[in-house]
Amino acid sequence: MSASCNSIKPVQSNGNLNYLGQEKTQWRDNTNYQFTEEEKNDVTMLFGGLSLLQDKLISSALQSIGENYIAMPNPDFESFQKGKAFGNRGQCNPTYFNVGNLVKYLQNLRDEKGLSTEEIIKKYIFVTSGGCGPCRFGMYITEYRKALSDAGFRGFRIMSFEHNKGIFQAADETSAINFSPKFFITLVKALIIGDIINILTYKIRPYEVQKGATDKAIETCREIISNTFMEKKNLVAAMWRCRQVLEKIELNRLQPKAKVMVMGEFWAAMTEGDGNYNLHRFLEEEGAECIPQPLINRLMLSIWETEFELGKRENLEKEGNKKVDFSTLKTKLLIKAGKAALKTHFTLYAKAIGLHDYEIPNIDKLATLAKEYYPLDASGGEGHLEVAHLIESVKDNLAHLVISVKPFGCMPSSAVSDGIQSLVTNRFPSANFLSIETSGEGAANFYSRVQMALFKAKQSAKEEFEALEMPQKIPDRVHNYLFQPKGEKAGTAAQLIHSIKTRNL
Ligand code: SF4
């Protein structure tokens, strides 16, 4: 035994002491935090956890309506370790990464920037989405408070809005936090624009001739959109300007690359960093093109879930010969209007930047595909969407590989969806499906499993391409992203060849 081990004095446990010999106390969450109008001008509101671009756009969008929001840096392994050190055991990865990221940020303010703990608690708050749910998501906010308290920031304010209520948040007269319809409309505009630019990035970057050209162009687009928000100018015109930036990127799209749909648990599938071992970048470096899951999918699912619940309530009222509640009808109308507004804005911005071929997911169609396998009443995580995406991808030949990525032990994704996916892959044997967990450790194992599944996908892409008869002439314009091919093949290069022939180019 080493000297240091000898120096540890075992504590005689009487049941009331922890392993350090301190008295054990029951953790109690204090939810009664104040945030007043008087202090608002001096307080910075921190947030984060979406894609890198979306976090930055949201920050500009909310600042443009006078809200002092700042996006946190991307969570990394150091964040994860801090999350583990101060968090409870058995939490989900998104909690460890994001809670640890906040602890790291506040420690940096204290230790590097020289702010006192009291100043930090007074001048910063953290805003996140919360809500009830069948999985550990319901505990996130308490987990933030517990970890911050243990890290020495007891009393730091975590403010939340309900993730599934959107503009219908209950008003809180006691708080200066602004969750007004204007706040959510501005937020959603930034989310949608971020989605559209992200979708295009993943279509363009794998085919760039000059490495780094896409990232540079996307950064210019980010500046254009951020400035447009800040100057309160026309966002459609700004998207048109982004199109002029993107169309200059030189591409070689006749490379038969494996198309990989990345889906799974919301955060694990969307984050672009250590949280999923940089999965999208890794796939691109290995010669694949990714189909990302845009945030609008999650928004549409939340709307669908609300409508589904309302429908069930209406049926009960009818069965009980009760009059249908007026508030139910009103909510239904508001949902309809919200859905229409969401689709209209998405289409307007997408057309302006030149994303012509993208359709917002039809959640009703996806629910129909999934319902034979996944009970639609079961919510939590992505609900039935993971199962639906896999079936849709096989039926419509959307990808050579579908990866479902999720944090270790994710209840809705690993425990429910993946159990069902074994039946789906049995019924659809042509599916190339990989379910993979991220634990924050074990990157080598993660990468090697992805590489193995990708090998088969690359072969499929190559065979599909080589089976096609090449046209005599390939017009230059097909290499530009504005030319968006269609066809029954999954790969972009094969679709291009098909489109050249069918459109007589
Ligand atoms: S969906 Fe999965 S990862 Fe997300 S909170 Fe629930 S259990 Fe955790």
Side-chain angles (χ1 to χ4, degrees):
M1 192 181 273
S2 70
S4 60
C5 282
N6 278 331
S7 64
I8 296 174
K9 297 209 170 45
V11 171
Q12 286 294 319
S13 172
N14 64 4
N16 287 324
L17 300 180
N18 66 19
Y19 69 101
L20 290 172
Q22 299 157 338
E23 196 179 340
K24 284 184 195 168
T25 51
Q26 172 66 47
W27 162 261
R28 295 199 192 280
D29 191 10
N30 174 13
T31 53
N32 191 20
Y33 292 118
Q34 296 286 314
F35 179 42
T36 61
E37 282 293 345
E38 292 71 51
E39 60 176 327
K40 195 168 178 184
N41 286 343
D42 300 320
V43 171
T44 301
M45 291 175 266
L46 304 169
F47 76 100
L50 301 177
S51 73
L52 295 174
L53 178 70
Q54 274 155 327
D55 278 349
K56 287 178 184 165
L57 292 183
I58 289 170
S59 181
S60 310
L62 296 181
Q63 283 176 20
S64 77
I65 56 167
E67 299 290 329
N68 188 19
Y69 276 82
I70 290 193
M72 304 265 295
N74 204 19
D76 56 13
F77 277 126
E78 196 190 336
S79 315
F80 169 74
Q81 279 155 356
K82 286 191 190 288
K84 281 219 142 179
F86 294 109
N88 276 306
R89 300 284 80 85
Q91 295 300 303
C92 315
N93 260 5
T95 337
Y96 287 140
F97 272 97
N98 289 308
V99 170
N101 204 33
L102 181 57
V103 170
K104 185 178 147 196
Y105 189 88
L106 301 187
Q107 285 179 338
N108 183 275
L109 287 177
R110 185 190 59 199
D111 304 338
E112 306 294 325
K113 303 259 161 68
L115 271 72
S116 69
T117 304
E118 291 70 33
E119 269 177 295
I120 294 170
I121 292 172
K122 203 167 159 222
K123 291 189 173 163
Y124 290 84
I125 64 173
F126 184 75
V127 181
T128 185
S129 70
C132 189
C135 68
R136 288 168 285 193
F137 183 65
M139 293 300 294
Y140 268 30
I141 292 169
T142 303
E143 190 62 21
Y144 269 108
R145 293 188 181 125
K146 185 257 174 221
L148 286 167
S149 176
D150 287 357
F153 298 98
R154 185 181 288 270
F156 186 87
R157 289 164 291 179
I158 306 285
M159 314 299 272
S160 66
F161 55 86
E162 289 206 41
H163 76 107
N164 55 354
K165 293 239 167 100
I167 61 168
F168 309 116
Q169 302 289 319
D172 180 357
E173 309 291 328
T174 63
S175 166
I177 202 118
N178 175 6
F179 290 148
S180 64
K182 186 178 178 187
F183 172 94
F184 280 102
I185 290 167
T186 311
L187 177 76
V188 168
K189 282 183 183 173
L191 288 179
I192 293 178
I193 291 178
D195 264 353
I196 294 169
I197 299 180
N198 281 340
I199 293 166
L200 278 175
T201 307
Y202 287 112
K203 278 176 180 282
I204 296 173
R205 193 166 51 207
Y207 301 99
E208 65 188 9
V209 171
Q210 198 187 345
K211 198 167 165 43
T214 311
D215 288 342
K216 211 167 142 208
I218 294 298
E219 181 52 24
T220 308
C221 294
R222 187 199 61 75
E223 277 169 22
I224 292 173
I225 303 293
S226 288
N227 292 341
T228 306
F229 269 119
M230 294 304 285
E231 292 159 14
K232 300 190 195 308
K233 289 195 175 153
N234 188 317
L235 288 163
V236 178
M239 291 297 264
W240 180 263
R241 282 175 57 206
C242 293
R243 174 194 191 125
Q244 290 163 341
V245 173
L246 296 180
E247 68 182 345
K248 292 200 180 90
I249 304 171
E250 199 187 337
L251 307 177
N252 172 11
R253 298 167 90 199
L254 282 182
Q255 304 172 62
K257 289 184 178 258
K259 209 174 247 181
V260 182
M261 180 188 282
V262 178
M263 55 106 169
E265 188 271 340
F266 168 72
W267 188 79
M270 183 201 53
T271 192
E272 298 160 306
D274 291 344
N276 62 9
Y277 307 105
N278 269 297
L279 177 60
H280 302 88
R281 292 266 177 180
F282 177 73
L283 285 165
E284 286 181 3
E285 275 158 26
E286 292 288 312
E289 174 188 339
C290 298
I291 306 177
Q293 291 302 309
L295 250 162
I296 195 161
N297 283 15
R298 195 66 195 74
L299 291 179
M300 298 305 280
L301 177 67
S302 293
I303 293 173
W304 182 91
E305 283 173 341
T306 311
E307 275 186 313
F308 188 69
E309 288 306 315
L310 282 174
K312 284 201 297 192
R313 197 191 311 163
E314 235 177 350
N315 285 344
L316 279 176
E317 282 163 354
K318 278 183 197 154
E319 278 167 25
N321 289 327
K322 281 189 191 161
K323 269 194 179 166
V324 174
D325 189 354
F326 176 68
S327 67
T328 310
L329 292 174
K330 193 175 150 204
T331 312
K332 276 176 96 172
L333 282 175
L334 284 171
I335 287 176
K336 249 197 171 121
K339 252 186 351 188
L342 209 57
K343 286 185 180 171
T344 309
H345 277 87
F346 190 95
T347 311
L348 268 178
Y349 299 143
K351 294 272 177 228
I353 200 172
L355 179 67
H356 307 296
D357 66 341
Y358 191 84
E359 281 170 28
I360 295 174
N362 180 342
I363 307 285
D364 288 327
K365 177 189 162 197
L366 293 170
T368 309
L369 287 175
K371 72 177 177 200
E372 193 186 332
Y373 302 88
Y374 196 108
L376 299 182
D377 292 285
S379 61
E382 302 313 289
H384 57 269
L385 274 196
E386 292 185 32
V387 167
H389 282 316
L390 179 58
I391 299 174
E392 189 189 33
S393 133
V394 181
K395 284 196 163 177
D396 297 351
N397 195 20
L398 300 179
H400 302 107
L401 168 64
V402 177
I403 296 183
S404 176
V405 58
K406 68 272 336 272
F408 179 73
C410 170
M411 294 173 187
S413 190
S414 306
V416 186
S417 290
D418 284 352
I420 296 171
Q421 298 291 30
S422 52
L423 174 62
V424 175
T425 47
N426 200 287
R427 295 250 177 102
F428 298 91
S430 64
N432 184 12
F433 174 68
L434 173 70
S435 158
I436 193 147
E437 291 190 324
T438 61
S439 65
E441 293 122 1
N445 181 35
F446 180 92
Y447 289 138
S448 99
R449 290 196 58 211
V450 172
Q451 273 169 330
M452 278 194 279
L454 194 56
F455 178 74
K456 192 172 158 198
K458 280 161 120 176
Q459 274 190 322
S460 308
K462 198 163 166 265
E463 282 164 18
E464 170 194 79
F465 183 72
E466 286 174 353
L468 292 167
E469 197 190 319
M470 292 300 265
Q472 287 184 339
K473 194 169 166 288
I474 311 265
D476 280 350
R477 73 185 178 100
V478 303
H479 287 293
N480 195 294
Y481 85 95
L482 290 171
F483 182 85
Q484 280 150 29
K486 279 216 173 353
E488 289 165 0
K489 309 288 177 200
T492 298
Q495 285 177 345
L496 277 174
I497 299 296
H498 178 82
S499 293
I500 292 170
K501 285 186 190 161
T502 50
R503 296 188 208 173
N504 284 328
L505 296 177

